[in-house]
Amino acid sequence: MRSSRLQLEPLVGARRPPRDAAAQGPRLGPGTRELDGRGPAARERAAPTGWRVGQGFDAHRFSDDPARILRLALLEWPGERALAGHSDGDVAAHALVDALASAAGLGDIGALFGTARPEFADAPSALFLERVAREVRARGFEIEHAAVQIIGERPRIGTRRGEAEVGIGHVLGTTVTVSATSTDGMGFTGRGEGLAALATCLLRPAASSLGA
C-alpha cells in the first residue's frame, strides 16, 4: 500500500526564488564598492521623508612609532604622540563618518573603509569624510549640522578648535562643532593610553527630494 505521508521539500540548502532587488534595498558590507564608484551605476532608493539623527564613536590607542604624526580633527599636531590605526587614526573624523553613515543607512566605517581594504592603509580621514558626505547627498539628504567631542588628556583641543571646525566644515559642506573633555584620569583615555571621540549629526531631506 502506498504511503499517504506528505513529502516535504527539505529547507536546508534549498534554493529560494530571488526577491525583487529594489525591495531588498542597497546591500552594504565589506564587499561594497559604491563609495569609490565601483559599485552598481544605478540603484533605486526611496526619497527620504524626514530628518535623521546619527551617532558615531571611535577609539584608538597611541602608537609606539616615533615617525608617525598625530592627526586629529583633520589637523596635524606636531610634538604630540600619534594614534595607531589602519588609516591615519583620526578618531574625531572616524566618529563623524560613523555618525553620517548611521543616519543615512550606510552602515559603519568598518564596512565602508575597513582594514580589508588595503587601498585605505594610511589614508587621510578627509577622504573618508568627503566620500561619505557625497553618498549622504546621493541618497537625498543634506547635512544640517555635525558635532564631535574628543575624549582624552592631550592634546589641548581648545587652542585649535576654530581651525578644526573650519576644516571639517569645509569638507562636509556644513557647520561643525568640535569640543573636548577628559575623564579625570579614569579609563584608558585617563591613563593616557589613547583617545576616543563621540559624534552626532543631523540630516534633512534635500529640497529636490521633497519635490520643491
Side-chain angles (χ1 to χ4, degrees), residues 7-211:
Q7 299 299 312
L8 299 178
E9 181 181 350
L11 295 179
V12 178
R15 296 177 61 87
R16 297 178 180 177
R19 289 163 36 189
D20 179 73
Q24 294 184 60
R27 296 180 62 189
L28 294 171
T32 298
R33 296 294 183 267
E34 182 169 343
L35 293 182
D36 54 18
R38 290 181 284 157
R43 182 175 280 139
E44 292 185 18
R45 300 186 181 101
T49 57
W51 293 58
R52 300 275 188 91
V53 175
Q55 291 186 324
F57 176 82
D58 194 42
H60 283 269
R61 68 176 67 250
F62 284 121
S63 171
D64 294 325
D65 183 356
R68 195 171 170 91
I69 299 172
L70 175 63
R71 291 180 173 86
L72 184 63
L74 300 192
L75 302 176
E76 291 189 356
W77 299 78
E80 296 287 349
R81 193 174 176 188
L83 291 167
H86 178 63
S87 59
D88 61 5
D90 187 336
V91 292
H94 295 181
L96 284 165
V97 169
D98 261 351
L100 291 163
S102 170
L106 294 169
D108 55 43
I109 191 170
L112 301 173
F113 311 109
T115 56
R117 305 284 297 275
E119 65 269 33
F120 294 128
D122 297 320
S125 291
L127 174 68
F128 302 160
L129 285 172
E130 179 184 355
R131 291 191 177 187
V132 78
R134 184 194 312 157
E135 182 64 14
V136 164
R137 292 186 171 94
R139 289 177 174 246
F141 292 102
E142 288 295 334
I143 306 170
E144 183 70 15
H145 185 71
V148 60
Q149 184 171 64
I150 299 164
I151 306 166
E153 301 298 318
R154 292 187 62 87
R156 298 299 182 186
I157 304 300
T159 60
R160 304 183 68 187
R161 184 193 316 275
E163 189 180 354
E165 291 175 343
V166 170
I168 298 172
H170 177 74
V171 173
L172 294 181
T174 191
T175 57
V176 174
T177 302
V178 175
S179 61
T181 190
S182 69
T183 56
D184 290 331
M186 298 182 293
F188 78 94
T189 60
R191 294 190 298 269
E193 297 173 6
L195 296 175
L198 178 66
T200 57
C201 72
L202 181 63
L203 306 184
R204 59 178 172 82
S208 60
S209 69
L210 296 176

